[in-house]
């Protein structure tokens, strides 16, 4: 059994370079299937989700190679299948992008239901609505579904709720459909804009990405091209929050500050100093952390993916903080783990009430998803004694260099292994876990 060990190390100091966005990378890799020539992507992180994409690529004939300089070269000309193995599709959430990316070329896609983080069900009803509007039929089976269309035709698509995943999937399906497609109530996330930017470089005609109304003029083919993925705003936000756990000063580099507007405003509100440059952000402690209220929402609001690490930060704020989760109301699997460490947090429906200022104590805790793992690392930085975090595989899904990055800032993190008994349980040291 592997776990991350976090030991007290004082204030963080230094700088860290931010990798390419996980969420954007998974969309870009699928989008490259639409091209009719070679696509080169720069900055795709070497995370586990990308490794799953690589395994899917081998199954369907998509050539995908990581070069010595870190770029990924994708050759979609040899794709021979649009059947995605259900087990591999279930390994990560964004597998549904292959449905939109392969439908126009093959007319029929078979794919397993999306997996990934288990904090909440993530319905694909808006994806299905978009496919049907474009003329496709969707059929559900026990562990997979099929999307089929003899021809995709442009349509007006009105999303019932703002959804980044369905907006991106609609872009993929519509860019090679016949005629014009209009997306209404579309998501405005940077990852949506990044996907549209790549597609336009390949010859697509997408207008209005970054607004709530997007127009797509279908084209018969796409060329090859090159594109650099945007930096990961969610990892950047987490490192900035880490500054507040013990004070110190941390600079995140290779970032687009505009992507973190709501996060930076809230960090200033709780008492951190924030300085921005063209491609970097510095956070530094100005004194005790202050209690606040947070309500997550779709971009440009406070990101649901930053709610969990922010909850760890607010355990350090004296007074009562209130965190309301409006995107995924059940995204509070990190709270019982924080309680194990001594935090006073109560969850009622979609809201967490945090009575901060109580000392945290190192414990065995478990990360149930990527962001919960980041939350527990931050909590461990401020805890007395040693914190041991299992569920390392979830962290590796989202960030391949977590331990070294925190060590660069002076944190004391280590990847450890422990023997287990015949039933797979830890042999020692985890009473009550």
């Amino acid at each position: 059994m592997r776990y991350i060990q976090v030991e007290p190390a004082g204030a963080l100091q230094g700088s860290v370079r931010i990798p390419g966005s996980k969420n954007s990378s998974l969309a870009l890799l699928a989008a490259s299937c639409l091209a009719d020539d070679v696509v080169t992507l720069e900055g795709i992180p070497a995370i586990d989700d990308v490794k799953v994409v690589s395994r899917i690529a081998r199954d369907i004939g998509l050539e995908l190679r990581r070069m010595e300089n870190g770029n990924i070269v994708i050759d979609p000309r040899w794709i021979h299948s649009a059947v995605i193995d259900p087990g591999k599709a279930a390994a990560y959430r964004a597998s549904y992008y292959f449905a939109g990316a392969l439908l126009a070329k093959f007319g029929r896609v078979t794919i397993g239901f999306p997996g990934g983080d288990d904090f909440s069900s993530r319905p694909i009803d808006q994806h299905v609505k978009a496919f049907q509007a474009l003329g496709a039929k969707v059929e559900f089976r026990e562990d997979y579904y099929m999307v089929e269309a003899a021809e995709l035709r442009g349509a007006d698509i009105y999303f019932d709720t703002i959804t980044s995943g369905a907006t991106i999937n609609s872009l993929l399906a519509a860019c090679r459909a016949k005629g014009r497609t209009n997306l209404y109530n579309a998501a405005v996330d940077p990852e949506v804009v990044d996907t549209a930017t790549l597609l336009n470089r390949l010859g697509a005609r997408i207008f209005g990405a970054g607004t709530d109304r997007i127009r797509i003029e279908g084209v018969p083919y796409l060329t090859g091209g090159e594109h650099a993925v945007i930096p990961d705003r969610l990892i950047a936000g987490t490192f900035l929050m880490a500054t507040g756990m013990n004070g110190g000063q941390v600079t995140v580099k290779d970032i687009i500050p505009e992507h973190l507007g709501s996060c930076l405003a809230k960090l200033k509100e709780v008492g951190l100093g924030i300085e921005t440059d063209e491609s970097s952000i510095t956070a530094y402690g100005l004194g005790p952390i202050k209690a606040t209220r947070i309500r997550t929402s779709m971009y440009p609001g406070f990101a649901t993916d930053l709610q969990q690490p922010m909850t760890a930060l607010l355990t350090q704020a004296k007074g009562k903080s209130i965190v309301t989760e409006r995107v995924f109301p059940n995204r509070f699997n990190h709270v019982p783990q924080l309680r194990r460490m001594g935090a006073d947090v109560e969850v009622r429906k979609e809201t967490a009430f945090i009575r901060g200022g109580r000392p945290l104590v190192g414990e065995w805790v478990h990360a149930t998803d990527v962001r919960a793992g980041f939350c527990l690392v931050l909590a461990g930085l401020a805890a007395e004694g040693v914190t041991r975090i299992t569920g390392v595989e979830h962290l590796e899904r989202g960030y391949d260099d977590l331990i070294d990055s925190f060590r660069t800032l002076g944190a004391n993190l280590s990847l450890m292994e422990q023997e287990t008994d015949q039933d797979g349980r830890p042999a020692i040291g985890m009473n009550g876990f």
Side-chain angles (χ1 to χ4, degrees), residues 368-398:
T368 55
D369 59 80
V370 178
R371 313 302 167 183
F374 282 127
C375 165
L376 298 175
V377 169
L378 265 59
L381 295 175
E384 298 176 4
V386 180
T387 300
R388 298 175 176 89
I389 305 167
T390 59
V392 175
E393 67 277 6
H394 291 293
L395 282 155
E396 291 174 339
R397 283 188 51 236

Side-chain angles (χ1 to χ4, degrees), residues 21-31 47 49-50 53 92 94 97:
S21 165
K22 173 181 84 78
N23 291 342
S24 195
S25 293
L26 299 177
L28 297 178
L29 288 167
I47 55 177
D49 276 4
V50 172
V53 173
Y92 75 109
Y97 290 141

Side-chain angles (χ1 to χ4, degrees), residues 96-112:
Y96 47 50
Y97 290 141
F98 280 100
L102 295 174
L103 186 57
K105 277 189 172 182
F106 287 88
R108 179 173 178 174
V109 182
T110 301
I111 185 170

Side-chain angles (χ1 to χ4, degrees), residues 84-133:
I84 309 299
D85 178 81
K88 292 170 185 173
Y92 75 109
R93 174 174 54 91
S95 57
Y96 47 50
Y97 290 141
F98 280 100
L102 295 174
L103 186 57
K105 277 189 172 182
F106 287 88
R108 179 173 178 174
V109 182
T110 301
I111 185 170
F113 292 106
D117 300 329
D118 61 0
F119 55 80
S120 173
S121 61
R122 301 197 184 203
I124 60 171
D125 58 310
Q126 298 302 298
H127 301 249
V128 172
K129 178 178 181 176
F131 291 146
Q132 291 173 336

Side-chain angles (χ1 to χ4, degrees), residues 261-271 292-294 302 310:
S262 58
C263 173
L264 299 183
K266 191 58 66 173
L267 292 181
K268 291 177 183 177
E269 187 178 309
V270 301
T292 191
R293 292 189 175 204
I294 291 174
F302 194 89
M310 189 68 181

Side-chain angles (χ1 to χ4, degrees), residues 309-387:
M310 189 68 181
T311 299
L313 177 58
L314 292 177
T315 64
Q316 304 304 296
K318 291 185 178 179
K320 186 175 183 179
S321 295
I322 300 175
V323 177
T324 300
E325 178 56 74
R326 288 298 178 86
V327 179
F328 295 111
N330 296 323
R331 195 173 194 170
F332 288 109
N333 286 347
H334 57 295
V335 169
Q337 307 304 313
L338 290 174
R339 286 179 182 155
R340 290 179 60 85
M341 300 178 69
D344 187 350
V345 186
E346 179 184 358
V347 176
R348 301 178 204 159
K349 295 184 178 179
E350 73 277 8
T351 302
F353 299 87
I354 307 163
R355 295 175 179 85
R358 294 183 57 175
L360 299 179
V361 180
E363 249 295 358
W364 282 98
V365 289
H366 181 69
T368 55
D369 59 80
V370 178
R371 313 302 167 183
F374 282 127
C375 165
L376 298 175
V377 169
L378 265 59
L381 295 175
E384 298 176 4
V386 180
T387 300

